Amino acid sequence: MSQHAGTPAADDDAVFKALAAPVRRRMLDALRESSLTTGALCARFPELDRTTVLQHLRVLEEAELVTGRKIGRERHLALAPLPIKRIHDRWISGYMAAAVELLEQLQPLGRGTDSSA
């Protein structure tokens, strides 16, 4: 089954793909602290050449995790948290609720084994 660009499933796939690479997660962490120019973001990753940073940045922008705004000759980048919230709401919160429910079911079992009586 193919996913069409712009559909919720395709959008989620793009976010998961973007988050799959540790360097891209580090880039998002840097942008969470504050917005940065493209040059400042590249400087945060001295182990990578500028082209590689820009390729990773393109993946983040395609997933709509990062926005860029041109001011004069500089491009200012900022974190766009909505796609991560969408992933949280769609995936993580549901699994978290199931885990809490499972723990609540296990809790009475633990109370019955109290050996201090």
Side-chain angles (χ1 to χ4, degrees), residues 45-58:
F45 298 90
E47 73 277 13
L48 302 174
D49 62 51
R50 183 177 176 86
T51 303
T52 302
V53 172
L54 293 176
Q55 288 172 341
H56 284 293
L57 183 58
R58 187 176 317 119

Side-chain angles (χ1 to χ4, degrees), residues 35-49:
S35 64
L36 298 168
T37 63
T38 304
L41 184 64
C42 290
R44 294 257 185 133
F45 298 90
E47 73 277 13
L48 302 174
D49 62 51

Side-chain angles (χ1 to χ4, degrees), residues 4-46:
H4 297 349
T7 66
D11 292 345
D12 287 354
D13 288 348
V15 172
F16 281 118
K17 175 187 173 190
L19 295 174
V23 69
R24 290 194 287 264
R25 292 192 302 269
R26 288 179 28 227
M27 291 171 81
L28 291 174
D29 287 340
L31 291 169
R32 183 179 58 200
E33 293 171 16
S34 68
S35 64
L36 298 168
T37 63
T38 304
L41 184 64
C42 290
R44 294 257 185 133
F45 298 90

